[in-house]
Amino acid sequence: MLYRVYIKRGLDILFSFAGLIFLSPLYLALIIAIKIDSPGPAFFKQKRVGIHKTIFEIHKFRTMRTDTPHDMPTHMLADPDSYITRLGRIMRKYSLDELPQIYDIFIGKMSIIGPRPALWNQYDLIEERDKYGANDVRPGLTGWAQINGRDELEIDVKARFDGEYVEKLSFAFDVRCFFGTILSVLKHDGVVEGGTGVIAAHSELAASRQDMVK
């Protein structure tokens, strides 16, 4: 309880503040590159579900054209590739578009590690997470589900991974998710534009639990 309530938030503030300072040159370079690559703002804001299902605006670097439907998950677009900009493909491949969320962590809307925040209208995912208490923790920049399939996971499987994270939430588990994310990003694991749920539920959960025992 001490870690969940106090230490975790303290670490979020410390590391997000350091990240904002350290990454500021990269932020500036990406802002300029986005503006050159396609017309429109460099940043993108979208309503997401926070702790206890409160709504907040998440910050991302824009990777899609300005005429893209605003509140629609990528996998629900008819042809998502047609909306993604040239630079956006690279940014999404390496998750660079997520970097502005370090600010959301600093102000307390998110955590470094936690379930990825659902869109406000992803009712199926929100409902599934309710079963596991996954809506009652701060959403994260990355989490247990992200290193176990990400876009490839079906909604119910993703929610179960999120519930597993809540159940095992600790400093050691957060460290494991953090370094697992670095490895996943380098390997580009689980990124499927316009698709979701291509990993079978039972096989993925079984692999996860076997890995937890190791």
Side-chain angles (χ1 to χ4, degrees):
M1 182 61 70
L2 180 64
Y3 175 74
R4 292 190 181 205
V5 178
Y6 300 107
I7 298 177
K8 183 175 173 67
R9 178 62 190 142
L11 291 174
D12 283 340
I13 295 172
L14 176 63
F15 286 115
S16 61
F17 180 71
L20 288 171
I21 295 175
F22 180 75
L23 294 173
S24 56
L26 177 59
Y27 277 41
L28 180 59
L30 288 173
I31 289 170
I32 295 172
I34 293 168
K35 298 293 286 185
I36 293 173
D37 183 59
S38 65
F43 293 98
F44 173 73
K45 294 192 295 185
Q46 192 177 53
K47 288 193 296 182
R48 295 290 181 111
V49 179
I51 186 171
H52 305 313
K53 293 190 283 189
T54 56
I55 302 298
F56 74 101
E57 284 195 324
I58 199 172
H59 295 80
K60 304 180 77 169
F61 281 124
R62 182 175 59 83
T63 60
M64 307 184 87
R65 301 197 321 253
T66 55
D67 61 339
T68 305
H70 189 72
D71 286 323
M72 184 176 293
T74 305
H75 70 272
M76 294 184 66
L77 295 172
D79 185 12
D81 282 335
S82 67
Y83 290 102
I84 302 173
T85 64
R86 292 169 298 177
L87 179 61
R89 297 183 193 284
I90 299 173
M91 295 176 65
R92 292 165 78 95
K93 182 177 181 180
Y94 294 99
S95 298
L96 295 174
D97 57 316
E98 312 288 358
L99 289 179
Q101 289 161 43
I102 294 176
Y103 171 74
D104 297 321
I105 295 170
F106 182 69
I107 64 174
K109 299 299 183 181
M110 293 178 60
S111 181
I112 296 173
I113 309 296
R116 281 296 296 164
L119 280 166
W120 67 273
N121 56 0
Q122 283 184 291
Y123 304 116
D124 50 354
L125 178 57
I126 297 168
E127 183 178 355
E128 282 295 316
R129 282 177 169 172
D130 266 338
K131 299 176 182 179
Y132 307 102
N135 290 315
D136 296 324
V137 297
R138 280 190 180 87
L141 181 64
T142 186
W144 186 232
Q146 275 55 56
I147 63 176
N148 283 284
R150 194 172 171 175
D151 298 331
E152 297 177 334
L153 297 176
E154 296 176 357
I155 293 296
D156 61 328
V157 181
K158 183 180 294 185
R160 273 183 269 174
F161 273 121
D162 291 334
E164 193 172 344
Y165 169 76
V166 174
E167 180 183 346
K168 300 179 182 297
L169 200 164
S170 65
F171 175 72
F173 199 59
D174 276 357
V175 169
R176 179 172 184 173
C177 290
F178 179 82
F179 285 104
T181 296
I182 295 175
L183 182 61
S184 294
V185 168
L186 293 175
K187 294 169 60 181
H188 319 308
D189 285 346
V191 180
V192 182
E193 298 296 356
T196 187
V198 299
I199 293 181
H202 296 298
S203 62
E204 190 63 22
L205 284 173
S208 167
R209 293 196 171 92
Q210 289 175 4
D211 190 45
M212 289 290 295
V213 175
K214 295 179 182 178

